[in-house]
Amino acid sequence: MQNLIESKPKIFSRNAIICLGIIALSGFFIRFFYFPEGIPITLDGALYFWYANDLSISGTFPDNVNFPNNGWPTFLSVFFYFFNSENFLDYMDLQRYVTIIISVTTIIPVYILCRKFCGNALSLFGATLFVFQPRIIENSLLGITEPLFILLELTCLVLFLQNDLKFKYMSFAFLALACLIRYEGIVLIVPLSVFFLLKDRTYKKNIPRYFIAISIFILVLLPMLFVRMETLGTDGVFSHSIAAAQTYSSGSTLIHVNEAISTFLKSTALAVFPIFFVFLPLGFFGFFRNRNFDKYTILLFLIFMFIPIIYASVRGITEPRYLLTLFPIFSLFSVFTVKEIIKKSNKTKLISIIIGITVLSLSVVYLDYNKIDYEYELDAYHVGLEVSKRTSVINDYHPEVKYVHNKIDVASHLGTFPVLSSEIKQKVKLIRTFDYAACVRDKALESGCRQYDYPSLNEFIDYGKNEGLTHIIADENENRPQFLKDVFKNEEKFLYLTKIYDSVEQGYDYHLKIFRIDYEKFESIEFN
């Protein structure tokens, strides 16, 4: 059966194209159903946004960024260049549309990968598994690097598995492009090189051909590496890979082995739940039951793709996002679970329908349960604009402060857009609500610095006064330091605070208060 499948001249039959089209339309529909309309992109996505914005306007690569790879925002800038709007939110929506399209388009290489080992019907199921993965859907709405990185890494693998030499050469080019999106892709040069040399290793021309392949890899990388060296002083690929290795070898930010294993297992469990959690175990053993060269290639790729995840785990970072690059291979393994189930029944169509409906249902239930409260986020955004208008130096109130401590709060009030980010001045400065110096001294992760919260508002203001602190922000979030919760609930106790804004009075459900600090009253009360 396997030989029969591989002997077919056409990868895409007419029925396969129609089915892939239906799967793609369904993938678009579910993503647009959860699309965060009117909510700005923040955090990493905002950094990529401003880089792409500046590049599309000036035509020169910005030199004021602090992320290692600029491949994704450079690609995004092409779309910004041809787009025309005076509303910055339209550009952010465009950024999300691009990642959605890339995410759904990835079903094509997923289908080809699965078809290498299975028939058409099961390969379509593999594409379905991938496109309806809730983590993949969520990630595609963020406007960040993973969708393009996954597409390029997967295309590299699919091309390498083809027998034609020119496709293997192309796989090195696609790996180089993936490295420009995220530098950790560089680890895949090892399995790519090993299996390129091992395939037909008795052939005399193998080594010269490998030098051609590695030359293609380097030539694709070099132009952007030179750009980064010129603008930022580091190449962003080899420099960060070496830095990561040095961090690991020094052990300065690493955690104990037991904690690292726990973090790794937690990240993996969160990533594969709920769909892969059911399909992966049996599928993994089913896939490797009959081993061959291509399956060993998949295995070595999988092992090396785990390296960045292990590195994050030993640094105590629980982040399921790092496992998304493995999802196409997980989809392939899961197909073999379905294959085993179908083998034991003569009701193939019925089982396929039941499994398909189950996958879609699990995805929708998971997304609904974990979906962002868009009304709350919209309120936090609009209230953040009020904070920006009324304050200058405030306490941090993560995560809602992401709508204030960002150029988006200023861009929202601009009459014209696009403009260079350098023309938008950051208006609001943040002060941490914990003793950062003590946290660094004790080598605690910032996420664990809550134990260093200032014990009282007075002590926080004493510190903040030297930093120019002008206002206190208190909201309904129960994760705030105790002194901020006290201000929010018992504002009358603090005679040196004057409330100048209350979001509830403006009709918002998200409750936030802004207080101006009267330092004369504060000092008179403090010294008496």
Side-chain angles (χ1 to χ4, degrees):
M1 182 179 177
Q2 180 71 17
N3 291 334
L4 180 62
I5 291 169
E6 290 182 350
S7 66
K8 290 185 177 181
K10 290 184 179 179
I11 294 177
F12 298 101
S13 65
R14 184 171 178 273
N15 287 339
I17 292 172
I18 292 171
C19 290
L20 281 172
I22 294 171
I23 294 168
L25 286 174
S26 302
F28 281 122
F29 176 79
I30 197 169
R31 283 161 174 77
F32 286 125
F33 182 79
Y34 291 100
F35 194 88
E37 194 72 42
I39 299 175
I41 294 173
T42 58
L43 306 176
D44 289 350
L47 296 177
Y48 301 131
F49 171 83
W50 288 112
Y51 188 103
N53 172 77
D54 289 359
L55 180 55
S56 67
I57 295 171
S58 67
T60 58
F61 290 93
D63 57 2
N64 58 345
V65 297
N66 58 357
F67 47 81
N69 299 121
N70 56 346
W72 162 238
T74 300
F75 175 76
L76 183 63
S77 68
V78 177
F79 296 89
F80 283 9
Y81 180 80
F82 291 103
F83 190 66
N84 186 27
S85 175
E86 292 186 354
N87 185 347
F88 87 102
L89 282 174
D90 291 340
Y91 284 86
M92 288 194 162
D93 284 346
L94 175 62
Q95 183 172 341
R96 287 189 171 107
Y97 292 144
V98 173
T99 49
I100 286 173
I101 292 169
I102 292 170
S103 177
V104 174
T105 302
T106 306
I107 65 172
I108 296 173
V110 170
Y111 170 80
I112 298 172
L113 176 67
C114 293
R115 195 183 181 282
K116 181 76 177 175
F117 304 95
C118 307
N120 279 349
L122 289 174
S123 300
L124 289 169
F125 181 76
T128 303
L129 269 175
F130 177 82
V131 82
F132 289 128
Q133 279 297 323
R135 293 261 178 209
I136 292 290
I137 293 169
E138 289 174 335
N139 184 265
S140 69
L141 300 174
L142 301 178
I144 52 180
T145 58
E146 277 78 19
L148 185 56
F149 184 60
I150 293 169
L151 177 61
L152 292 172
E153 270 201 339
L154 178 59
T155 304
C156 164
L157 175 58
V158 167
L159 289 170
F160 188 77
L161 290 172
Q162 307 308 308
N163 292 324
D164 195 320
L165 183 62
K166 65 175 178 288
F167 288 130
K168 294 188 184 295
Y169 286 150
M170 289 173 62
S171 70
F172 280 82
F174 274 88
L175 178 59
L177 292 174
C179 293
L180 295 177
I181 306 302
R182 294 186 67 88
Y183 72 88
E184 54 263 38
I186 193 69
V187 298
L188 292 184
I189 196 64
V190 176
L192 213 61
S193 300
V194 167
F195 282 108
F196 190 96
L197 292 169
L198 286 179
K199 186 79 170 177
D200 300 322
R201 57 181 178 270
T202 59
Y203 193 54
K204 293 181 180 179
K205 292 184 179 179
N206 223 22
I207 292 178
R209 285 177 174 176
Y210 173 71
F211 279 112
I212 294 173
I214 203 69
S215 297
I216 291 171
F217 175 77
I218 293 171
L219 286 172
V220 173
L221 273 181
L222 280 180
M224 189 59 78
L225 298 192
F226 285 140
V227 166
R228 287 195 58 84
M229 287 294 293
E230 186 177 340
T231 55
L232 299 174
T234 61
D235 62 71
V237 176
F238 298 105
S239 58
H240 281 72
S241 301
I242 293 169
Q246 289 174 340
T247 299
Y248 180 82
S249 60
S250 68
S252 59
T253 59
L254 307 185
I255 60 177
H256 294 297
V257 174
N258 290 342
E259 293 177 36
I261 294 172
S262 174
T263 301
F264 174 78
L265 293 176
K266 184 178 179 181
S267 294
T268 304
L270 287 172
V272 302
F273 185 83
I275 297 174
F276 285 142
F277 188 79
V278 177
F279 289 99
L280 263 182
L282 179 60
F284 180 84
F285 291 107
F287 180 79
F288 288 108
R289 180 177 297 151
N290 300 311
R291 293 174 290 278
N292 56 32
F293 190 87
D294 288 339
K295 289 186 177 182
Y296 283 123
T297 302
I298 296 285
L299 179 60
L300 196 60
F301 262 76
L302 185 68
I303 291 170
F304 275 84
M305 289 167 79
F306 261 112
I307 290 175
I309 302 159
I310 295 170
Y311 174 72
S313 298
V314 298
R315 297 189 66 187
I317 302 171
T318 304
E319 181 51 82
R321 199 176 104 188
Y322 289 118
L323 280 96
L324 296 184
T325 56
L326 306 177
F327 277 27
I329 297 178
F330 287 172
S331 297
L332 171 63
F333 292 162
S334 299
V335 164
F336 277 79
T337 298
V338 180
K339 190 175 181 180
E340 292 295 320
I341 295 171
I342 290 174
K343 269 185 185 178
K344 298 178 181 179
S345 173
N346 57 359
K347 298 180 179 179
T348 303
K349 288 185 179 179
L350 178 61
I351 290 173
S352 300
I353 292 170
I354 291 172
I355 292 175
I357 292 173
T358 302
V359 167
L360 182 57
S361 300
L362 283 172
S363 181
V364 170
V365 169
Y366 180 91
L367 287 168
D368 261 9
Y369 183 79
N370 292 282
K371 71 179 179 181
I372 297 171
D373 186 340
Y374 292 137
E375 290 186 9
Y376 179 87
E377 291 297 316
L378 274 173
D379 276 4
Y381 167 49
H382 290 296
V383 170
L385 298 181
E386 298 298 326
V387 173
S388 177
K389 285 193 295 187
R390 290 171 167 81
T391 66
S392 54
V393 185
I394 61 172
N395 55 279
D396 188 4
Y397 65 104
H398 178 81
E400 290 81 4
V401 77
K402 63 190 175 186
Y403 297 117
V404 178
H405 190 59
N406 197 306
K407 290 182 172 63
I408 61 173
D409 59 327
V410 183
S412 301
H413 300 295
L414 291 175
T416 58
F417 196 84
V419 295
L420 291 171
S421 64
S422 58
E423 297 176 20
I424 302 176
K425 302 303 179 184
Q426 183 67 56
K427 184 175 180 296
V428 180
K429 176 185 174 183
L430 298 185
I431 298 178
R432 293 181 175 93
T433 54
F434 57 85
D435 188 340
Y436 182 69
C439 186
V440 171
R441 181 196 63 216
D442 295 343
K443 298 182 179 179
L445 294 173
E446 186 156 331
S447 59
C449 281
R450 282 293 306 276
Q451 59 182 307
Y452 300 95
D453 286 343
Y454 289 98
S456 69
L457 179 64
N458 285 9
E459 290 185 55
F460 175 67
I461 292 179
D462 267 335
Y463 168 75
K465 179 171 57 177
N466 298 325
E467 301 294 322
L469 181 68
T470 57
H471 295 80
I472 295 294
I473 306 296
D475 66 4
E476 59 191 353
N477 192 324
E478 286 299 318
N479 293 321
R480 301 286 175 243
Q482 185 56 47
F483 69 85
L484 287 180
K485 290 193 282 188
D486 199 21
V487 171
F488 182 77
K489 295 175 182 176
N490 305 293
E491 59 187 76
E492 67 282 351
K493 286 170 45 180
F494 303 92
L495 301 179
Y496 48 83
L497 298 181
T498 304
K499 185 167 70 175
I500 61 172
Y501 177 80
D502 191 322
S503 64
V504 168
E505 295 172 0
Q506 307 301 316
Y508 293 108
D509 290 333
Y510 168 52
H511 198 180
L512 175 143
K513 301 175 184 178
I514 304 175
F515 299 90
R516 185 175 61 247
I517 303 171
D518 186 328
Y519 276 105
E520 288 187 9
K521 288 185 179 179
F522 173 75
E523 290 171 359
S524 66
I525 292 171
E526 189 179 31
F527 290 112
N528 288 332

